[in-house]
Amino acid sequence: FLHTKARKLKLRTVTHCLDRNKATQLRELNKVFKLYTSRGFDIVRFITDLEFECIREDIDPIKLETVAADDHVGDIESSIRRIKESMRCIVQSLPYSRYPIVMIKALVACVVRLLKSLPENDSVSDNMSPLTVVMGHGPLDYNYMKLEFGSYVQVFEDYNVTNTINTRAIG
């Protein structure tokens, strides 16, 4: 996963990447940069570990700051910890013993979406979420959150109406 977090806006983004090569890094980071610039924000500095050193010239005029080989970017490390703790809380409430990759990807996306929907301390706004500040979304509406992540549901599909006793729902 490629994880970013804006220092002042506190907006988290996460993307599942199939590899760690330069082209993938640039493609995914350009999506993040475009998200901010499309809403009128300027990116002036990008702090990362040495893995992103290869894209220094490609993201110019954004200043790339890399930390030492054995250091970590503290904001991202604490954000990753927060995401993992939230994922553990959700996983502990689920009845499954194994999780396919697609479910793990969806769980990460779900947790990050919920985290960026809540206001954070030391943000540019005390009462608006990062999602509201950057993307213009309204506050989180709990009326639309009827199902918890990982809930077993059945969908009714009745394409061919018959009088058989076969099931018409798909799990």
Side-chain angles (χ1 to χ4, degrees):
F1 290 96
L2 173 67
H3 176 50
T4 66
K5 183 177 178 184
R7 280 217 163 137
K8 292 183 181 177
L9 297 172
K10 306 292 185 188
L11 181 72
R12 291 176 171 93
T13 64
V14 68
T15 306
H16 179 260
C17 299
L18 296 176
D19 55 43
R20 297 174 121 173
N21 65 33
K22 180 180 176 179
T24 304
Q25 289 175 350
L26 278 174
R27 183 179 65 244
E28 298 305 326
L29 283 175
N30 280 329
K31 289 178 187 176
V32 174
F33 295 160
K34 186 176 179 182
L35 168 74
Y36 287 107
T37 56
S38 69
R39 297 292 294 176
F41 295 100
D42 292 328
I43 302 169
V44 293
R45 191 167 59 147
F46 185 59
I47 305 170
T48 184
D49 57 12
L50 286 174
E51 185 173 348
F52 291 88
E53 183 64 39
C54 63
I55 65 167
R56 182 177 294 276
E57 291 82 25
D58 297 304
I59 64 169
D60 198 45
I62 298 170
K63 182 180 177 187
L64 180 69
E65 293 180 19
T66 55
V67 295
D70 293 332
D71 286 342
H72 298 286
V73 180
D75 297 354
I76 293 296
E77 293 300 320
S78 63
S79 182
I80 290 170
R81 255 192 331 271
R82 176 93 188 264
I83 291 169
K84 285 183 177 181
E85 288 169 1
S86 300
M87 288 174 61
R88 283 187 199 103
C89 291
I90 293 173
V91 165
Q92 294 305 314
S93 68
L94 298 177
Y96 312 114
S97 59
R98 295 188 137 178
Y99 299 91
I101 297 294
V102 67
M103 197 167 178
I104 293 171
K105 290 180 197 176
L107 178 59
V108 171
C110 175
V111 166
V112 170
R113 185 181 69 244
L114 288 174
L115 288 175
K116 65 184 172 184
S117 297
L118 301 171
E120 286 199 33
N121 295 335
D122 300 331
S123 180
V124 293
S125 174
D126 292 334
N127 58 358
M128 289 194 313
S129 70
L131 197 60
T132 303
V133 171
V134 176
M135 301 180 72
H137 289 244
L140 192 60
D141 188 357
Y142 291 100
N143 293 320
Y144 291 104
M145 298 177 67
K146 304 284 185 191
L147 299 172
E148 294 180 18
F149 179 84
S151 298
Y152 179 77
V153 297
Q154 290 193 335
V155 178
F156 179 74
E157 289 188 326
D158 192 14
Y159 296 121
N160 300 322
V161 180
T162 62
N163 278 337
T164 65
I165 59 171
N166 294 336
T167 183
R168 293 181 182 161
I170 297 173

